[in-house]
Amino acid sequence: MDPIIVIVGGAVGAVAAYVVPLWLIKSGRSPRLAAKREVSTAISDGALPPNADIGSWRTRLIENRQSVARGRWVMLAAGLIMSFVTLTDFADEGGSLLTWVFAGSAALLLVDAFGMHRQVKQADALLAAISAGPTGTRNSSAG
């Protein structure tokens, strides 16, 4: 297979995977994606939005955490598989352009897996913070 086709296809797919959800959120066509982005922003900021309902946010954070926790293992497996594909291609073709594309893909998948692991830890910290309440004692509505 021509490496240019793989590179162009990967670049177009990556741009589409990034741009289309942004367009759907900004245009208001996907409230579900907007809600997911709001949760991701709260997790990365380490704080809930002002005047947030703790009960509903706890549920949203737990759902996001579970989703990311499952996905990180899939991402890790994909990165490891791509690493083996890279090694096989390297043994077969040497240092061709396609081999380096595979190596870059494997590296990105593994970096994403570790980023997802970090996001799970941040979600855990935020959940612990909202369960503790403002004074550090357990919130009575924490259940």
Side-chain angles (χ1 to χ4, degrees):
M1 177 178 282
D2 189 13
I4 299 301
I5 293 172
V6 174
I7 294 169
V8 170
V12 169
V15 168
Y18 181 75
V19 171
V20 170
L22 286 179
W23 172 73
L24 290 171
I25 291 169
K26 297 248 187 232
S27 66
R29 291 192 168 117
S30 182
R32 183 181 58 84
L33 283 176
K36 282 185 168 189
R37 184 172 180 154
E38 186 180 31
V39 172
S40 293
T41 301
I43 289 171
S44 65
D45 291 347
L48 299 181
N51 301 322
D53 176 31
I54 300 289
S56 69
W57 267 92
R58 182 175 293 110
T59 303
R60 291 171 71 185
L61 288 169
I62 290 170
E63 288 172 357
N64 179 279
R65 185 212 179 279
Q66 290 171 340
S67 174
V68 173
R70 283 189 305 268
R72 70 181 168 177
W73 295 111
V74 173
M75 193 70 68
L76 182 62
L80 291 174
I81 290 169
M82 198 59 170
S83 297
F84 290 124
V85 169
T86 302
L87 290 173
T88 304
D89 194 59
F90 185 76
D92 186 38
E93 295 184 22
S96 71
L97 179 61
L98 192 55
T99 303
W100 290 109
V101 170
F102 289 158
S105 298
L108 288 174
L109 288 167
L110 293 172
V111 166
D112 281 346
F114 288 109
M116 292 170 85
H117 177 73
R118 182 174 171 258
Q119 188 177 8
V120 168
K121 295 294 183 190
Q122 288 174 320
D124 288 341
L126 185 55
L127 282 165
I130 63 174
S131 293
T135 61
T137 59
R138 186 154 178 85
N139 192 347
S140 61
S141 65

